[in-house]
Amino acid sequence: MKRGAIMQLPAYYEFCNTVKTIVGHKALEQIPQSLKVINAQRPMIITDKGVEQAGLIKIVQAAMQKSKLKAAAIYDTVPPDSEIKMVNELAKMYTSKKCDSIIAVGGGSVLDTAKGVNIIVSENASDLMQFAGYGNVKRKLKPLVAVPTTAGTGSEVTSVAVIANHEKNIKMIFGSAFLLPDIAIIDSRMTKTLPPTITAFTGMDALTHAVEAYFCLAKNPLSDTTALAAIQIIAQNLVNVVKKPSDTDGRLALALASNLAGMAFANSMVGMIHNIGHAVGGVCGVPHGVCMNILLPYGLEYNMHKASQYIGELLYPLAGDEVYNATKKKERPQKTVEYIRNLIQDLHDATDGKHPRFFKEVVDKTGKQMVPKEKLVDIAKTAMSDPAQFYNPEDLDYNDYMMVLEAAWEGTPLDKKKIKKG
Amino acid sequence: MIPYNFTFLSHPKICSGLKALEVIPFELESLNACKPLIITSEKWSRKKLTKTIVKALYDSNIVIGALFDNAPAHPSSTIINVLSKLYRERSCDSIVAVGAGSVVNIAKSVNMVVSLKTDIVECANMTLSAPLKPFICVPTADCEGGEMAAMATCERFTKKSDYLYPDVIVIDPRITRNATSEEIANCALTSLSHAIEACGIDTPNPINDAYAHTALQFIYQYLPKTIKKPCNNDGSVAIVNAAACADIAFSNAPEGIIHSLASIIAQDTNYKPGTIMGILLRTSLHAKLATKQGIRPELLLALAGIDTYAKTKENERQKVAYDYLIKCIATTSKYIPSTLKKLTISHDKLKEYAKEAAAKNRDYKEKEYAELLANAWESK
Amino acid sequence: MNILYYPQVKPKKKLIKRIYIAIMLWIVGRAIQAASKVDSDVKDEFAKLNNNFCLKMWIWPNGPAMYVGKTNNGRVKYLGWKDKGYKPTLTMTIKNIEAAMLLFTFRESTAIATARNRLVVDGDLPDACAFVRILNIVEVYLLPKIIAKLAVKRYPKWSQMAPSRKHFGRIVIYVRAFTF
C-alpha cells in the first residue's frame, strides 16, 4: 500500500512546546488548582483597558472565586505596545503586594509585558537590558498563566518578548525557553464578545501562522501536524463564527486553532508574509492580522515554485477531502490560493465590507486610507531589515518586495513570470 | 460539534537528526548546567557509543562528572543510591541518560533523589511540585515505552508526574542506528500501541492527536525499510522519533487497556512490552472494528497520508485504516509472534493478569481485560 | 562500587576542525573587507549601517571568531579573531564546531543552518539582514557556481550580476583578501 503525500523527516529539526494548555468552556476555573500545584497563591492580574472594559476580567475573577482564589493585585492599563517603564512599574507593584505569580489576560502586548515583569521579579533585577538577546534568561521564572483574548496571536506559546525602550528609542528582544508561560488557558468566554471584524483578521493571523509554518524552511513533522489541524479548524469555523458570534463551540475551536498555529510557528518560524506584514504595520500602523490576511495569498504565489507540494497539500484542510480528491495534483497549489482568496472575500462579505481584501481598501476609523501608494517604497525598504525573510523558501530583494506590495495594494494576483526563481 | 475539554502538556525539547548530539553542551548551558553525570549501559560502551558521546562533547565547556556505563537491566534502590552518591561527590548539576528502558528509569530515579534530597522510597510517595535537575535523554532504538514520557519506573513503583519528562530528547543517527531488527520491531509496536490508545479516546483532543498522528506517520513510512536494515540512519531516527511522540501522547491520555496488560505481563515474564503490545493491539483492533463505534477513520489520514485518505470513500475509511495497521504490524511478524499462545506464557496466568490489571487501572473491568487476553491467546 | 572506575572526563578539543574553521573565518572576514571596496552592492549595504557596526561571528563557547567592523571614517575592516575590547552590535553564534563545519563545508547553507537552529543571531536584527545579503554576495564571488548554489538561496542570474562583473570582482577580491 503506497503512501501518498510523504511526510518529510528533516535532516535536523528542533521542536519545543512546554506550555501546559487547558482547553474548555470552563478552563478558567482550573486556574486556582493549576497555581496551587506549583505552590502559587497570590497572583497578579495584568491586562489592558480594552479587556477590562469588555468585562473579561470580571469573568476571570468570578471563575477563580469559585475556588476561593483572589488576585493579590490587578493592573489594567498596559498600552498597545509593551514598554519598559510600565514593566518596571508593574514589577514594583508585584513586589509590594507580595505576589507570587502572574495571570496575563489579553493579547500580544499584555503577554510581552507580563514576560518582562516576570524576568525582573524572578531575577530580582534592576535592569531588564542585561537579559536582552537570546538565551540570557537561564532559570525557571515565577509562574505565569497566559489567558489569550483573541484567536489570535499565539503568543501564549512563544518564547520571545518584544519590549520597547522609548527613551533610548530601541526595541529590546528577549528570547528564552524560560519565558514561555507555564499555563495557557483557552476558554471560549475570552473571545465570545470579540467583534466580527477583529474575529476575522485575528483568525486570518492564526491561519497565516499555520500556513507559513507548513511551507517555510524550518518545517518539521510536529509543526506540520499541528499546523494542519489548525488550518482545518479555522477553515471550518471562521466564517461561521464571524456570522454568528455567539457560537461558543466555534469560538473555542478558533481559540484552540490559534494555539495550535502558535505551537507550529513558534517552532518552524514564519516567512515573507510576516516579513512584509511587520513592515506595513511599522510604517502605516495597520493591524497585524489585517496585513497577514491581505498578504497570505501573495506569500503562497511567490513561493509556489519552491513549495508547490506543500501548498498543494494545504488544499485538504482548507477545502476538504472531496475537493482535494477532485483536483488534479498539479492544480492543487493554485486551487489553495483560490480558496484563500475566496475565504478573504467571504469574510469581507460577512463583515459588510469592513474586512479588507487588499491594501488599497484598508481605512482607519475616520475612513482615511491607511496605506497610500507612495508609502510602498518605505515599506519595501523596511521589509528588507526584517529577519523573518531568513525562513522564506525564496529570496527577496527590493524589487521583489515592491512587486508583491504593488500587487497586494491593488488586489491583483502576482504575475508568475515576474518571480525570480532561485 | 463536541466541545473540547482537555489539558495537554509536553515538556521535552526534541532535537533530532544530523549532529544532534553536539547540541548537548548548548542545551545544558541554557539550563544553567555544565557538569553532567552520564548514565548508560555496558552494551553501549561495548559498541563504542560512549566514545561517540564523549567526542560529541569536545570543544565545549562541559566537564563530564562521571560516565557510568554499568546500568543494570532493572532499576533497584541499590544502584540508585550508588549513582546519587557519585552525582553528589562529583558535584554534578545535570544528568544525561544514553539508552532506553532501565538506563532511563534509573536516571530519572537518581534525578528525583538528588533533587529532592531524600531516598527513592520517599520520592515515590511525594508529589513533585518543582522541576528536578536538568535531564537529557539520548534514546537508543531499544525503547520499551515511557522513557520519554512523564513517568519513571523503579523496582517497586511506577511514578507519573509532569516533572519526570526529560528536559531535552536528543535523537542522533549515530546512536539510533545501533539496533537489531527485533529491537526496532518492539520499539515500533510500543509506539504504535501508545499512539493509537492515546488518540482513540472518546473526547477529541487535537493537540494530542497531532503528536499521535506524527508517531503513526513515522512508523508507517519507515518501519518496513528499517526492519530490514536497522542501521539505516533516517529509518532508525524516525522510529525513535515515533517513540518520543507516542510517549508524549501517552502521557496526555488515560492509560489504555493494552498498556496496562502489557506492562504487567512484561514485568512477570522476560518479554519486552512491545512484543505483548503488538499481539494485543492486533486483537484489540479486530474487536474494535466489529463494534458500532469502530476505529477512528482519521488514523487512515495519519498512516496513509492525505492523498489516500481523500481517495478512500468515507464509509470505507475505518476498514482501510484497519488494513493499513494490520499490514504495519505484519512487517514485524518475523520477530514478533502473532498470538500469546506462541509465547511461553501459561494460559492459567491470564486470569491473574486480568485481575491485576483491573486493580491497577480501574477504567476497564476485569471482564474486558480477560476478554482481550482470551482473544489474543489464539488467532482470532 | 569503586567510583574511581568512573573518573571525571574533560573532553578535548577538535584541533583540525578548529584550524579549518579559523582559516575559513579569516578568508570570509578578509573577503568581506575586500568586497566592501570592490562591489557596489556590498558598498551600499555597508553604507546604510551605522559607523559603530561591529559583527562578531564565532563558535560557542571558545571560538574561533571573526570580527568585522566599520571604522570611524566608514571603512569596513576585518578586525581579526581576537577580542581586543570590541563592542559587537551584531553577534552570530554558531552553537558548536560541528555546526560550523556543516556551514563552512557548504553541506548546509546559511538559510538552512538558521532554519535548523544551528546558529543564534543576537543584537541589531536589521543589520543581520544586511549582513546576510553581504555574505551571499561574497560567497558568490569566492565560490564556483556549483558550490555557491548550495550556499545561497538564489544564485544571481546574468541580469543581476553580469559574468564580467563576477569574474573581475572575484580576481580582485581574492588578490586583496590574500595580500596585505
Side-chain angles (χ1 to χ4, degrees):
Chain A
M1 282 163 175
K2 256 184 118 176
R3 191 181 191 281
I6 302 291
M7 176 205 67
Q8 207 193 19
L9 174 70
Y12 179 80
Y13 80 92
E14 292 183 1
F15 189 91
C16 180
N17 165 35
T18 64
V19 181
K20 183 177 203 163
T21 308
I22 303 178
V23 183
H25 289 307
K26 297 257 184 258
L28 289 166
E29 274 78 346
Q30 301 215 34
I31 293 178
Q33 180 59 20
S34 311
L35 285 176
K36 192 174 173 194
V37 157
I38 45 180
N39 290 331
Q41 300 161 57
R42 294 181 58 81
M44 173 178 196
I45 295 182
I46 297 179
T47 185
D48 64 35
K49 265 282 172 251
V51 169
E52 198 272 323
Q53 278 163 2
L56 301 184
I57 300 301
K58 285 213 165 74
I59 297 175
V60 173
Q61 286 177 293
M64 283 163 49
Q65 182 58 31
K66 286 184 188 168
S67 305
K68 309 245 188 307
L69 179 66
K70 237 179 134 179
I74 301 180
Y75 191 98
D76 61 7
T77 42
V78 170
D81 272 314
S82 352
E83 203 272 327
I84 194 168
K85 266 208 187 118
M86 172 126 316
V87 168
N88 285 327
E89 208 177 297
L90 278 163
K92 281 200 188 102
M93 193 183 193
Y94 181 105
T95 314
S96 72
K97 299 274 181 175
K98 296 190 175 41
C99 299
D100 58 11
S101 48
I102 299 173
I103 302 175
V105 186
S109 78
V110 167
L111 226 7
D112 281 0
T113 305
K115 288 172 185 172
V117 173
N118 210 8
I119 297 175
I120 297 187
V121 301
S122 307
E123 296 284 356
N124 239 336
S126 52
D127 178 21
L128 194 57
M129 268 304 270
Q130 67 182 135
F131 296 98
Y134 180 88
N136 291 323
V137 179
K138 290 189 185 195
R139 271 195 293 239
K140 178 130 186 33
L141 304 179
K142 299 234 188 259
L144 172 61
V145 179
V147 184
T149 54
T150 57
T153 57
S155 41
E156 70 275 12
V157 286
T158 59
S159 55
V160 174
V162 181
I163 297 174
N165 186 332
H166 289 152
E167 255 175 50
K168 292 187 180 164
N169 204 16
I170 50 168
K171 272 206 164 141
M172 299 183 291
I173 300 180
F174 302 83
S176 164
F178 291 108
L179 289 177
L180 282 161
D182 296 89
I183 299 162
I185 302 284
I186 310 293
D187 189 310
S188 52
R189 289 170 288 184
M190 294 292 100
T191 49
K192 193 170 162 192
T193 53
L194 212 53
T197 42
I198 302 183
T199 307
F201 70 68
T202 50
M204 289 304 286
D205 188 9
L207 183 65
T208 309
H209 289 151
V211 168
E212 286 208 289
Y214 196 77
F215 75 77
C216 284
L217 291 179
K219 69 182 263 133
N220 58 72
L222 277 166
S223 74
D224 284 351
T225 41
T226 43
L228 286 176
I231 295 168
Q232 188 167 48
I233 296 173
I234 295 170
Q236 288 171 352
N237 288 281
L238 185 55
V239 179
N240 292 340
V241 170
V242 168
K243 287 182 181 159
K244 193 179 168 213
S246 60
D247 176 5
T248 45
D249 281 353
R251 289 283 190 193
L252 187 60
L254 286 176
L256 174 60
S258 161
N259 185 263
L260 280 161
M263 262 181 238
F265 94 85
N267 285 286
S268 66
M269 301 300 158
V270 288
M272 68 180 265
I273 300 170
H274 272 74
N275 173 197
I276 302 176
H278 288 155
V280 177
V283 173
C284 299
V286 178
H288 178 74
V290 171
C291 302
M292 297 300 103
N293 155 74
I294 292 170
L295 290 162
L296 179 52
Y298 296 96
L300 294 170
E301 285 176 327
Y302 188 82
N303 288 294
M304 190 86 75
H305 61 283
K306 281 216 163 156
S308 62
Q309 186 199 328
Y310 309 131
I311 296 172
E313 286 166 10
L314 291 175
L315 185 62
Y316 164 70
L318 281 168
D321 44 5
E322 271 182 50
V323 173
Y324 184 86
N325 208 21
T327 313
K328 287 198 193 115
K329 191 169 180 182
K330 267 194 311 193
E331 293 164 14
R332 285 174 190 156
Q334 195 48 47
K335 195 101 183 163
T336 297
V337 179
E338 211 180 285
Y339 258 78
I340 300 269
R341 289 213 155 98
N342 289 344
L343 175 60
I344 296 170
Q345 185 63 45
D346 288 344
L347 291 170
H348 177 83
D349 298 334
T351 54
D352 298 322
K354 293 196 198 107
H355 181 81
R357 297 160 296 179
F358 34 85
F359 285 123
K360 197 161 67 172
E361 66 178 16
V362 178
V363 293
D364 62 18
K365 286 192 182 119
T366 65
K368 186 175 160 213
Q369 192 185 48
M370 286 185 86
V371 188
K373 201 162 186 189
E374 314 81 67
K375 284 277 178 186
L376 295 184
V377 168
D378 287 337
I379 295 170
K381 287 188 182 145
T382 309
M384 289 187 64
S385 305
D386 186 300
Q389 63 190 265
F390 291 159
Y391 302 94
N392 198 58
E394 183 54 273
D395 215 353
L396 293 128
D397 60 24
Y398 174 79
N399 294 324
D400 299 318
Y401 283 119
M402 281 305 295
M403 173 180 71
V404 172
L405 280 165
E406 277 162 2
W409 193 82
E410 285 290 350
T412 50
L414 279 184
D415 182 353
K416 289 201 184 110
K417 294 192 197 113
K418 290 196 176 151
I419 300 172
K420 294 196 288 278
K421 295 176 179 147
Chain B
M1 191 204 300
I2 309 165
Y4 304 117
N5 185 13
F6 65 86
T7 299
F8 181 89
L9 172 67
S10 152
H11 179 75
K13 175 175 184 175
I14 300 175
C15 302
S16 161
L18 179 66
K19 304 290 181 189
L21 287 174
E22 277 77 358
V23 304
I24 291 175
F26 197 90
E27 292 301 327
L28 283 174
E29 159 85 5
S30 67
L31 295 164
N32 236 354
C34 61
K35 196 169 184 187
L37 167 65
I38 301 184
I39 301 174
T40 185
S41 70
E42 197 234 346
K43 172 180 174 186
W44 302 120
S45 63
R46 257 186 293 121
K47 290 201 181 186
K48 308 229 192 296
L49 253 51
T50 41
K51 269 200 180 150
T52 308
I53 296 278
V54 173
K55 252 194 136 175
L57 302 179
Y58 275 16
D59 252 298
S60 70
N61 59 352
I62 295 288
V63 170
I64 302 172
L67 202 162
F68 183 80
D69 60 356
N70 255 311
H74 299 285
S76 69
S77 36
T78 318
I79 191 67
I80 292 165
N81 290 337
V82 156
L83 286 172
S84 309
K85 192 168 173 223
L86 182 57
Y87 180 101
R88 283 188 287 263
E89 294 211 355
R90 295 286 164 82
S91 305
C92 295
D93 55 15
S94 48
I95 299 175
V96 176
V98 183
S102 155
V103 169
V104 178
N105 284 314
I106 290 172
K108 287 183 178 180
S109 304
V110 170
N111 201 4
M112 278 196 276
V113 169
V114 302
S115 305
L116 302 170
K117 300 193 168 100
T118 181
D119 64 61
I120 190 65
V121 175
E122 280 275 332
C123 291
N125 296 322
M126 281 172 87
T127 309
L128 304 182
S129 61
L132 306 176
K133 299 282 178 201
F135 170 51
I136 296 187
C137 180
V138 183
T140 46
D142 56 343
C143 291
E144 294 176 359
E147 291 90 346
M148 296 167 274
M151 62 189 274
T153 303
C154 197
E155 60 186 343
R156 282 184 211 111
F157 67 85
T158 295
K159 188 169 180 68
K160 292 190 180 178
S161 164
D162 291 344
Y163 295 107
L164 287 171
Y165 268 126
D167 293 293
V168 187
I169 297 171
V170 175
I171 304 174
D172 191 302
R174 288 168 290 181
I175 304 291
T176 58
R177 67 181 175 216
N178 294 281
T180 61
S181 299
E182 196 180 337
E183 284 165 349
I184 295 284
N186 273 297
C187 180
L189 288 172
T190 309
S191 311
L192 202 58
S193 306
H194 278 168
I196 290 173
E197 291 204 302
C199 65
I201 48 175
D202 293 320
T203 46
N205 179 340
I207 308 179
N208 215 22
D209 281 355
Y211 279 79
H213 287 189
T214 310
L216 292 172
Q217 285 178 359
F218 277 127
I219 296 168
Y220 190 81
Q221 203 169 311
Y222 288 93
L223 184 57
K225 75 169 177 185
T226 316
I227 246 199
K228 286 196 189 127
K229 207 177 164 205
C231 59
N232 180 275
N233 280 350
D234 278 357
S236 57
V237 164
I239 298 298
V240 177
N241 263 281
C245 295
D247 268 354
I248 293 169
F250 163 74
S251 300
N252 284 285
E255 192 172 307
I257 190 170
I258 296 173
H259 176 92
S260 301
L261 281 170
S263 55
I264 287 167
I265 299 174
Q267 208 165 24
D268 192 47
T269 62
N270 268 331
Y271 291 108
K272 295 251 182 273
T275 306
I276 314 292
M277 286 195 206
I279 299 169
L280 295 177
L281 181 62
R282 195 195 292 259
T283 313
S284 166
L285 286 170
H286 183 83
K288 269 216 174 97
L289 192 66
T291 61
K292 194 174 172 195
Q293 202 187 29
I295 59 176
R296 284 184 69 185
E298 290 86 358
L299 293 177
L300 178 62
L301 175 63
L303 292 161
I306 301 171
D307 286 18
T308 310
Y309 183 78
K311 272 195 205 115
T312 313
K313 285 195 196 122
E314 207 175 323
N315 57 2
E316 289 172 11
R317 283 177 185 156
Q318 283 198 22
K319 177 72 177 51
V320 177
Y322 170 80
D323 292 339
Y324 268 70
L325 283 166
I326 294 301
K327 181 163 194 276
C328 200
I329 299 171
T331 50
T332 64
S333 56
K334 207 170 154 191
Y335 309 97
I336 311 284
S338 53
T339 62
L340 290 177
K341 194 172 179 188
K342 292 183 183 161
L343 303 174
T344 55
I345 296 179
S346 152
H347 188 270
D348 301 328
K349 279 227 138 186
L350 295 187
K351 210 174 171 183
E352 214 178 287
Y353 293 144
K355 201 171 177 184
E356 201 182 328
K360 249 180 97 182
N361 179 4
R362 282 165 218 217
D363 287 348
Y364 303 91
K365 300 194 188 78
E366 191 178 328
K367 209 176 84 175
E368 289 174 277
Y369 288 111
E371 197 179 330
L372 178 57
L373 287 172
N375 290 338
W377 179 255
E378 273 182 297
S379 190
K380 271 197 185 160
Chain C
M1 179 196 77
N2 185 355
I3 62 167
L4 295 173
Y5 282 146
Y6 309 102
Q8 199 162 278
V9 178
K10 188 150 183 14
K12 300 179 204 163
K13 291 198 194 301
K14 293 182 178 177
L15 211 52
I16 298 180
K17 287 180 179 173
R18 285 179 69 87
I19 294 171
Y20 176 79
I21 299 296
I23 294 171
M24 292 300 282
L25 284 172
W26 181 87
I27 293 174
V28 169
R30 296 279 303 171
I32 290 174
Q33 177 178 299
S36 69
K37 297 181 181 103
V38 170
D39 184 273
S40 53
D41 288 343
V42 174
K43 259 189 227 165
D44 286 342
E45 290 286 357
F46 269 117
K48 290 177 201 153
L49 302 176
N50 289 334
N51 276 353
N52 69 343
F53 172 78
C54 176
L55 162 84
K56 176 186 179 185
M57 186 179 218
W58 71 304
I59 316 317
W60 184 86
N62 300 316
M66 163 184 86
Y67 292 87
V68 170
K70 274 177 88 166
T71 56
N72 280 332
N73 53 11
R75 270 183 63 212
V76 177
K77 213 168 175 279
Y78 167 64
L79 300 168
W81 51 273
K82 271 196 187 144
D83 181 3
K84 291 183 181 158
Y86 302 122
K87 293 200 174 79
T89 56
L90 179 68
T91 310
M92 293 178 112
T93 308
I94 302 175
K95 288 182 182 176
N96 54 73
I97 202 96
E98 291 299 330
M101 285 300 292
L102 289 170
L103 190 59
F104 287 107
T105 51
F106 315 108
R107 281 178 287 168
E108 284 183 358
S109 65
T110 322
I112 294 288
T114 315
R116 289 180 184 169
N117 275 340
R118 303 282 195 198
L119 54 105
V120 174
V121 178
D122 214 351
D124 232 327
L125 293 180
D127 289 357
C129 300
F131 181 72
V132 169
R133 282 191 288 271
I134 291 166
L135 196 60
N136 283 345
I137 298 171
V138 168
E139 281 169 336
V140 167
Y141 277 121
L142 287 179
L143 304 166
K145 186 174 177 179
I146 195 168
I147 297 180
K149 276 187 115 167
L150 299 172
V152 305
K153 244 193 244 181
R154 187 165 68 186
Y155 194 83
K157 294 194 175 8
W158 280 40
S159 51
Q160 295 161 280
M161 190 188 269
S164 54
R165 172 185 163 197
K166 185 169 72 182
H167 295 305
F168 176 74
R170 184 173 283 164
I171 296 169
V172 178
I173 285 173
Y174 266 110
V175 166
R176 290 185 95 124
F178 288 101
T179 58
F180 289 90

